[in-house]
Amino acid sequence: MSVSPPRLQAVAVTKSYGATTALENVSLDLAAGEVHAVLGENGAGKSTLVKILSGVIAPNSGQMRLDGAVYAPHSILHARQAGVATAFQELSLAPNLTVAEALLLPAMKRGAFGLVSPYQTARAAAEILHRYRLDDVSPIAGIASLSLAHRQRLEIARAMHYAEKVLILDEPTAALTDVEWLFDLVRSTTAAGTAVLYISHRLAEVRTLCKQATVLRNGRSVASVGLSDASDADIFELMVGRTEMAHGRRTHSFARETRSALELNNVTGAKLKGVTLDVKEGEIVGIAALEGQGQRELFRTLVGLDKATSGQILVGGKPVQPKSPRHAIAAGLSFLPEERKVEGIFSTLSTAANIVLPVIQNISRTGFVWPALERHSAARASEGVELNPRYLDFRIADLSGGNQQKALLARAMFTGARTLLLYDPTRGVDVGTKQAIYAAIQAFADRGGSVLLYSSELTELTRLADRCLVLYGARIFEQFTGEAIEERALVAALTGHSRDPAKSKREAAA
Amino acid sequence: MSILATKAAATSHRLAPSMPARAKALLASGTGIIIVLYIILYGLYSIWDPTALTADTVLNLTNNAVPLAIAAAGQTLIVLSRGFDLSVAGVISLTNVIMAAYPLDGPLGAVESLAICLAIGGVVGLVNGFLVAVLRLQSIAATLATMIICQGLSLVILDAPGGTVADFISYDLTDVLFGVIPISGLFVAAVVVLWMICRRTAFGTGLYVVGADETAAHLSGINVKRVRILSFVIGGMLYGLAGFMLSAQTATGNPNAGASFLMLTFAAVALGGTSLSGGRGSVIASIIGAATLMLLQKVLFAGGVSSFYTGIFQGVVLVLAVVFGNVVTHFVERRGAT
Amino acid sequence: MKSSSMPMRASAMNFFRDHITYVIFLAITLYFVLFAPHFASVSTASAVLRITAIVSVMAIGMTFVIICGEIDLSVGSVASFSGMIGALLLDQSVPAYVAALLVLGAGASIGAVSGVLVTKLRIPSFLVTLGMLSIFSGLALTITGTRPVSIVDDDFSNLFWNGSFLGMQAPIWWTIVLTAVGYYLLHQMPYGRRVYATGGNAVAARFSGVRTDGVKIFAFAISGMTASLAGLMLAARSTAGNPSLGAGLELDVIAAVIIGGTSLFGGYGSIVGSVVGAIFIGILGFGLLVLGLSTSIQEVIKGAIIIIAVSLNRR
C-alpha cells in the first residue's frame, strides 16, 4: 500500500471579503505527529487560515481533507467533533465565566435530571487542569480574576483537550511567560499522533518545535521550507519579499543639529518606567519592541489616553500634558492608530470626509463645509500618499485596506501637526501601499517634520529610521543610529540581550 | 498517567465555593443588595403602618407586584443577552384585551386562557428573535415595531377600556391558599424555579456568555443565534404570563394596559443590579427589584402624595437605579481587581 | 479594469439600496392617488403636510440624536411639558415671542441634561430618556393638576399654527424652515460631520480630535428644542396647553426617522429622509382612512412598515 493520507490537507483554499482577497490558493499538508509552522507578517493571511481550518468561516473555494475524508466544518463545534481544535490569539474566554465553565463550554457536565452540575463540571475541569499541569488554577475561579498569561494557558489547554487529530495554536506565546510548559505539552501531544499547526512570528520558537514551515505573504503561500536548511535571513526574505523592497534605506542625510520637536524626560506611569527620548525636526525615530513592552502605552500617553504620573513631555520646546487626542493635535502631535477598522475609519462617510474630519473647522467658510473646497483639500492631502483622487468620493468602506490606510495617513498628515506618531502604519497592507507609505513618511521628514514610528516589522525600521530605539520592559533599552540599525542587532536587543556586538555599536553611536 | 494521581489532584482544589465565599458573592451581587434594600424598606413600612404585616396587606402587595415581577423576569433574559425588548408593553396589552374580550370561565377556561397568553407571547418573541438574531436588526428597532403592531391589534380587539375577565381567574387567582399563601405568588415561585432550572442548562450559560462577549461565545462553540431567539421567546412567554396575571388582578381589559410596563420593567431590572450592557445579573434580582418598586410606590402614595407624581417618581427611580447599578458594578469590579 | 469597476458598482448598489424605500413610498402614494377617492388634491396635500408637521419637526431633531448612535424617547413628553409651560407663560401675559424663546430654551436645556446623563454617567440613552419621558409627562400633569390652560394670545396661535404666509400655513412653513436649518446643520456644517463621525466610530472620532461627549450633548439639546417647538405648535393648534398633547408621539417620531433610512446603529442617515418618513406615515394614515380602515389597523401596518424599512436599510 501507499503511504497513508496526511492528517490534514488543504488544497487551493481561497477566501475574499468583497474586493480584498485575504487568502489565495493556499495549500498545506500536515502529517500525523508533525508540528508545522505557519510564518508570515501581520496581514499575510495567517489568521484567515486559522479561522477557515477551525470552522469559524468557510472558504470561497478550495478543499480540505482530514485523514483523507472531506473536511468542511460549518462551525467551531463541528470542527471540534471532527477532532480539530484551536487556541485563538484573541483568547475566546468570556470574562464572566468560571474556569470550569470556560473549559467545558458548550457541553458542561450534567448531574441529576440532566441539569448542569457545577460540582461535576468543576471536577471534570480539575482533571483537565491537572492533565495540562495547570494545578495552580482553581476550577471555580472567575476568568476575569486570572492574569493574561493564565488565560492564554487555559485557552491552550482547552484546545489540547479537544484536539484529537489536529491542534491549531495561533500565536500561543503572545502572553506566555513560561514557554517550556507549552513546548513539553506540544511534544507529548504529537507523540500521541496529533498534528499541530503552529502560527507564530517568533522564529526562535518555531525552530525549537518545528521542522517544516509554510510561509504566507499577502495571502499567498510563497514557500514550504525545511527549517534546518533555511537561515533566519532566508526566512525573513520569504516573509517580506525583500527583492521587492530592495530600494534600500533612507538616503536623506539628516542633520543632527536641528531643534527637538518632541522630547520625553523620564516619563513614568501607565506601565512606562521612565522613558526618555527625543525626536529632532526632520528626523524619523523608530521604536522597535516585542509585543507588550510598553509601546502601546507610550503612544497612548502621548495622545492623552493614558496619564503619565511623572516626567515631562515637551513639544517644540514647550511642556505639554496631553489630555485628549484633540488636545494632542492642537499641540502638534498627530496620531495614526493601530487598528484601522476600530480606531481609524468612519465606514459610512466618504473618503474625502474621512480625510478632512480633524480640520473640518478650518476648511469651512462662513460656517459651511463647501463640497468643492472639501474635495480640493482632500485631494491635496491624498497627493502626498499617492491615493488616487477618484477614490475620494467613494465611501471609505468600499476601498481596499491599503487605500484606507493611505487615507488615514493623509488624515494624520493633513492636521498640520509637525510631529507624526505612527503606530504600525503598514499593518496588513500590500507591498505597493507599503512603498507609497514609506515615500510619504520620508517626504514628510524631508520637509522638516518629525516622526515617531513604531513598527512590528524590523525591515521597516531598518529602512526608514534615522535612529532606532528598542523598548524592552517598558523602558528604552538600546539605541541604534544610522548604519548601526540592522536587523540582527535589533533582534538581539528586542529580547533583552545587551552584551553582544550591538552594545559597542550603540556606544559608538551615542 | 495514573488515574489515582489525577483523582487526588482533582480534589486538592475546592470544587464548589465555600459558604462564606458564597455569602460574600451574594452580597456583592445585585441580588444581595436588592434583598437587603427590600427588607429595610419593608421594615420601615411596618413601623409606619402597623397593618403592614397582616395577611391582607401581604396579599395586596403580592397581587400588585406579580405582573411586573413576571414581566421584569422576561425582560431580564433579553437584557442579559445584551438587548432591549420594547414588545413587553404590546404583549401585555394584547393578552389583557383578549382575556377581557373573550373570557373563558372555570378552571379549564383559565388553563386555556393561560395557554393562549403564553402562545401569543411566544409568537411575538419568535418574531423578535428572528428579526434580531437572523436579520440582525437592532433590538430596539425590531421590538419597537412589534410593540406598535401588538398595540394596534389590541385596539382592534378592544378600542376602549372595557370587557370583563372570567370570574374564576379574577377571583380565585388573586386569592390565598390555606389562608396565607397568595396564589399569584405561586406563579412567581414557579418562574423562579424555572429560572433556576434554566440557569443549569446550556441555554442558561449561553445567555450569560453571549451577553458578555459574543465573539468569545461564538469561538467557544455556542450557538449564538439559538440563544438569542430562545431568550426572546421565553421572554415573550413571560410577558404573556404577566398579561394573564394583570388581567386576573384588574378583572377588566384596557388596550393600553401594558404601556406603563415598558419603563417599570427596565426600572426593576436596573434596580436588581442586572448590567444593561449584558452578561451579568439575575432574574431573581429583577423580581425582587419589581417588588421593591411596587412597595416604594405604595409607601409613598399611601402617605397622601398625589398620584400625579407617579410618573415623576418612576422616572427618577429608573435613572437613580441605573446610576446605583453602575456604582455597585464599579465597586465590585474594583474590589475584584485588588 | 476589474478592480476599478468594483467600487463603482458598489456605490451604484449603495444608491439603489439607500433609495429602495423611497421607491416603495412612491408606489404606495401612487396607489392612493389612483384608488382612494379625492386623494389627489391640493387640499389633501396641505392637510397631510399640516398633520405631519409636528412629527416632522421632532424627527429633524431626533435624527441628530440617532445618527450619534443614541435615542431620545422623551420628545413626546417634552412637547407636552413645553406646551403647558408656554400656555402658562402666555397666561401671565408674557409676550408671545418671549414666551416662545423661553420655552425653546427650556427644551434645549432638558435635552442637554439627558445628554449629560448619557455621556458623563455612561447610562444608555434609551433608559435615561425613558426616565425623562416619565418625569416630564408627570410634571406636565402636576403643574396645573391635569387642568388644561387655554391660550387666547392670537400672535402665538398665528405664529405657530393658524397664520399663513405666501399662501402656505404656518406649520408647513415651520417644516420647511426646520428642514432647511437641519439640513445645513447636519450636511453642510462642521458640526454635522462630527455627528456622523461620533455615531459612525466614536473611538476614531476621538482620535481625530472630536469631542464626542460635547457632540452628543448638543444633539440631545437640538432634539429637546425641536420637541418643545412641536409642543408650542401643538398648543397653538388646540389653543390650549394640555398635559397629554404629546403623549406617545415619540414612537411616531422614531418610526419616521427609521423609515427615512437613518440607522439606529448610528453614523448613517439624513434629514430629508426623516421628513419624508414623517410625511409618508401621514400619507399612509390619511390614505388608509380614506379607504375606510380604522386607526387601529393603521398602527399594525405602521409597525410592519418599520420592520420592512429597517430590514431594507440594514447595512
Side-chain angles (χ1 to χ4, degrees), chain C residues 43 113 226 268:
Chain C
S43 63
V113 169
T226 54
Y268 189 85

Side-chain angles (χ1 to χ4, degrees), chain B residues 80-140:
Chain B
L80 276 177
S81 69
R82 195 184 288 208
F84 294 119
D85 192 351
L86 280 66
S87 71
V88 55
V91 172
I92 290 177
S93 300
L94 186 56
T95 47
N96 175 240
V97 296
I98 283 181
M99 288 188 61
Y102 311 105
L104 301 166
D105 217 340
L108 206 65
V111 172
E112 282 173 38
S113 293
L114 179 60
I116 292 170
C117 290
L118 293 178
I120 290 172
V123 168
V124 175
L126 191 64
V127 172
N128 287 334
F130 175 78
L131 294 174
V132 173
V134 180
L135 291 188
R136 304 195 67 84
L137 304 187
Q138 215 196 24
S139 61
I140 292 180

Side-chain angles (χ1 to χ4, degrees), chain B residues 146-184:
Chain B
T146 49
M147 173 181 88
I148 291 177
I149 292 175
C150 289
Q151 287 288 7
L153 288 176
S154 315
L155 284 167
V156 171
I157 292 165
L158 201 66
D159 57 7
T164 319
V165 173
D167 282 350
F168 177 82
I169 295 171
S170 53
Y171 289 112
D172 289 47
L173 291 184
T174 53
D175 211 346
V176 287
L177 205 60
F178 312 126
V180 278
I181 303 166
I183 292 173
S184 61

Side-chain angles (χ1 to χ4, degrees), chain A residues 224-430:
Chain A
S224 182
V225 292
L227 285 165
S228 50
D229 312 327
S231 71
D232 281 11
D234 294 340
I235 293 169
F236 270 123
E237 202 169 309
L238 286 170
M239 281 165 62
V240 301
R242 195 181 307 261
T243 43
E244 297 160 67
M245 310 285 286
H247 298 293
R249 69 161 67 247
R250 179 160 145 77
T251 48
H252 171 73
S253 60
F254 143 82
R256 281 205 59 82
E257 289 71 36
T258 52
R259 293 191 303 139
S260 284
L262 172 66
E263 265 184 279
L264 273 72
N265 286 326
N266 204 19
V267 170
T268 306
K271 193 178 166 186
L272 298 177
K273 294 172 185 158
V275 171
T276 300
L277 63 83
D278 73 323
V279 187
K280 306 281 187 202
E281 285 178 359
E283 187 182 30
I284 301 173
V285 173
I287 299 281
L290 294 177
E291 245 342 271
Q293 299 302 319
Q295 62 270 44
R296 190 167 281 124
E297 289 75 12
L298 173 63
F299 279 73
R300 285 176 63 89
T301 305
L302 285 174
V303 294
L305 292 171
D306 285 339
K307 295 276 166 283
T309 49
S310 70
Q312 201 180 23
I313 299 171
L314 299 157
V315 180
K318 275 185 292 217
V320 172
Q321 275 183 308
K323 285 192 279 286
S324 65
R326 176 188 175 76
H327 184 215
I329 291 174
L333 301 174
S334 187
F335 178 45
L336 178 72
E338 174 182 15
E339 301 267 2
R340 184 165 56 238
K341 280 231 159 53
V342 185
E343 303 168 333
I345 63 165
F346 303 103
S347 54
T348 55
L349 295 184
S350 74
T351 306
N354 263 277
I355 292 173
V356 300
L357 182 76
V359 291
I360 193 83
Q361 197 73 56
N362 308 347
I363 63 156
S364 57
R365 296 276 175 275
T366 60
F368 292 105
V369 180
W370 297 105
L373 187 59
E374 175 184 25
R375 203 181 178 290
H376 177 73
S377 307
R380 206 147 43 88
S382 52
E383 256 169 42
V385 296
E386 294 171 31
L387 178 67
N388 190 330
R390 70 191 186 84
Y391 290 128
L392 292 176
D393 301 323
F394 292 141
R395 272 211 292 187
I396 198 163
D398 295 332
L399 266 54
S400 71
N403 282 325
Q404 288 179 357
Q405 190 71 8
K406 282 184 189 173
L408 292 184
L409 184 62
R411 177 204 287 171
M413 289 179 165
F414 202 57
T415 58
R418 300 293 296 147
T419 303
L420 286 184
L421 310 171
L422 306 179
Y423 198 99
D424 224 357
T426 62
R427 167 180 282 220
V429 303
D430 56 287

Side-chain angles (χ1 to χ4, degrees), chain C residues 39-181:
Chain C
F39 192 83
S41 68
V42 176
S43 63
T44 306
S46 87
V48 166
L49 288 178
R50 258 202 335 267
I51 293 167
T52 54
I54 285 158
V55 171
S56 297
V57 163
M58 293 163 103
I60 288 164
M62 181 74 82
T63 307
F64 286 87
V65 173
I66 292 187
I67 294 179
C68 276
E70 305 288 346
I71 200 161
D72 187 354
L73 296 177
S74 68
V75 289
S77 66
V78 170
S80 305
F81 179 73
S82 301
M84 287 303 287
I85 298 280
L88 284 171
L89 285 172
L90 292 171
D91 205 36
Q92 302 294 311
S93 49
V94 176
Y97 294 93
V98 178
L101 284 177
L102 285 174
V103 170
L104 292 178
S109 319
I110 295 168
V113 169
S114 300
V116 168
L117 287 172
V118 169
T119 53
K120 302 301 176 192
L121 295 183
R122 312 223 165 278
I123 312 174
S125 54
F126 174 73
L127 294 165
V128 168
T129 57
L130 191 58
M132 289 300 214
L133 182 163
S134 194
I135 292 172
F136 282 95
S137 62
L139 280 177
L141 281 168
T142 41
I143 300 176
T144 61
T146 71
R147 193 173 44 81
V149 181
S150 59
I151 294 171
V152 288
D153 192 317
D154 278 345
D155 280 353
F156 181 84
S157 308
N158 285 333
L159 177 61
F160 288 107
W161 199 266
N162 294 329
S164 71
F165 177 64
L166 294 178
M168 264 199 296
Q169 287 114 324
I172 302 180
W173 273 113
W174 279 112
T175 310
I176 294 172
V177 169
L178 264 278
T179 307
V181 172

